[in-house]
Amino acid sequence: MNRKPMIIAGLLLAIAVTSLAMAQRWRRDRNRDWQSAGRGDVPDWETNADFPNDMFTFVRIKYQSAGWGRGGGWDTDFRDSDLNFSLRLHQLTSLNVNPEPIVLELTDPRLFDYPWIYIIEPGRLMFTQPEVVALRRYLDNGGFLMIDDFWGDEEWQNLYYQMKRVFPDREPEDVPLSHEIFQCVYPLKIKPQVPSIGAWGGRGSRTWERGPDTQTPNYRSITDDAGRIMVFICHNTDLGDGWEREAESPDYFEEMSVKYAYPLGINIVTYAMTH
């Protein structure tokens, strides 16, 4: 029997008591500047002082959204998702993790200081041309983009169009379950579908949101000429809610955060940081 899923389940359940105390403060006042948002009750930790620039930082990308369709924007699940995932990455891996996630725009010159970036809810995303140029340069130079939490054919078509502006010569391709991104730290037996906590009906209930075009989780990638994943796309699933909402329901935490959202998130970061 492979012990890794059992190990992560045991560890996360053991620290669940800390998650239940985490405040969900950002959602109470989403109009304030993100830099003024505190940590709520998410604990802080010391980083390796000998290597101040050698640590993983959760970088959320701020973008513009169109005024049509469903879905949220760049700050969906912010800021608890970023804080919680950074904490669990610190607790469950040997990575030197920055306790303070940050927000950047694609045109910010600091983008190239960070090897991993995160875009959420891209169903209405609209890149400006300078953002298209910056993102392609970032990815061609070794950066990694994770895209998460969008549902259905219409939202997929919007993301597809935006990414074709970045890479007109490359097509997104399905990533098989056998790929190391699903297996490198915590072996997954399925491609998980994590619904938002509001759409989840409890243990044994359906895991998709909205209509029939959201029933199948799709994991696709855009790779470089050497086969390295540059963009990992999580469609018809919501890993970010599995990170953000861990404090709100013990059942959701055990079924979605422990089994799927954290293991796959850790696998994705591990792959990004080693390729």
Side-chain angles (χ1 to χ4, degrees):
M1 176 180 292
N2 194 310
R3 293 175 57 102
K4 287 183 178 178
M6 296 173 62
I7 291 171
I8 189 171
L11 285 171
L12 286 175
L13 288 173
I15 58 180
V17 65
T18 64
S19 75
L20 295 176
M22 291 180 185
Q24 310 292 314
R25 293 183 178 175
W26 171 262
R27 293 196 303 277
R28 298 173 188 169
D29 186 8
R30 297 183 73 173
N31 293 321
R32 66 182 176 183
D33 181 79
W34 71 267
Q35 292 175 313
S36 68
R39 297 186 62 82
D41 294 324
V42 181
D44 201 348
W45 60 89
E46 293 184 0
T47 57
N48 191 331
D50 294 331
F51 301 97
N53 298 318
D54 186 17
M55 61 182 174
F56 174 84
T57 299
F58 191 113
V59 179
R60 175 183 290 257
I61 296 300
K62 183 178 181 180
Y63 61 84
Q64 296 298 315
S65 297
W68 52 265
R70 301 183 57 166
W74 70 268
D75 60 350
T76 299
D77 298 338
F78 184 78
R79 186 171 189 248
D80 303 299
S81 174
D82 314 31
L83 288 167
N84 290 350
F85 184 69
S86 297
L87 172 65
R88 300 316 186 195
L89 198 63
H90 163 70
Q91 291 174 322
L92 297 171
T93 74
S94 60
L95 281 175
N96 187 27
V97 181
N98 188 348
E100 280 298 320
I102 65 171
V103 176
L104 292 179
E105 296 182 1
L106 289 172
T107 52
D108 192 312
R110 294 174 294 169
L111 183 74
F112 292 86
D113 294 335
Y114 302 98
W116 183 95
I117 58 176
Y118 180 74
I119 287 178
I120 194 169
E121 285 270 17
R124 297 185 293 122
L125 175 152
M126 292 183 65
F127 287 139
T128 65
Q129 187 56 32
E131 288 174 331
V132 166
V133 173
L135 181 56
R136 176 156 189 163
R137 181 168 168 250
Y138 169 80
L139 296 170
D140 279 340
N141 281 275
F144 185 99
L145 167 62
M146 175 182 172
I147 301 174
D148 183 35
D149 186 13
F150 64 120
W151 299 78
D153 295 340
E154 183 178 22
E155 293 188 9
W156 166 254
Q157 288 301 322
N158 181 68
L159 176 71
Y160 179 83
Y161 171 76
Q162 296 298 329
M163 293 309 302
K164 288 298 283 186
R165 293 175 62 205
V166 179
F167 288 114
D169 53 339
R170 300 186 187 275
E171 284 290 320
E173 298 181 347
D174 287 331
V175 182
L177 184 59
S178 58
H179 192 283
E180 62 181 302
I181 205 164
F182 290 111
Q183 308 297 329
C184 60
V185 180
Y186 300 110
L188 297 175
K189 295 181 179 180
I190 63 170
K191 294 182 180 180
Q193 184 173 59
V194 177
S196 68
I197 197 169
W200 189 60
R203 297 175 191 266
S205 66
R206 76 178 200 180
T207 56
W208 63 90
E209 301 181 11
R210 309 177 195 172
D213 60 344
T214 70
Q215 292 184 13
T216 302
N218 301 306
Y219 291 92
R220 301 181 175 109
S221 69
I222 299 173
T223 60
D224 65 14
D225 292 339
R228 176 187 72 90
I229 294 178
M230 299 184 288
V231 183
F232 190 68
I233 304 166
C234 308
H235 175 234
N236 287 345
T237 192
D238 186 355
L239 300 183
D241 226 43
W243 305 336
E244 179 199 14
R245 305 293 191 130
E246 64 159 65
E248 298 181 31
S249 163
D251 285 347
Y252 185 80
F253 177 69
E254 293 174 22
E255 287 295 309
M256 296 298 162
S257 304
V258 168
K259 291 182 179 179
Y260 302 125
Y262 282 121
L264 183 51
I266 289 171
N267 280 1
I268 293 167
V269 168
T270 300
Y271 177 90
M273 300 295 285
T274 56
H275 290 73

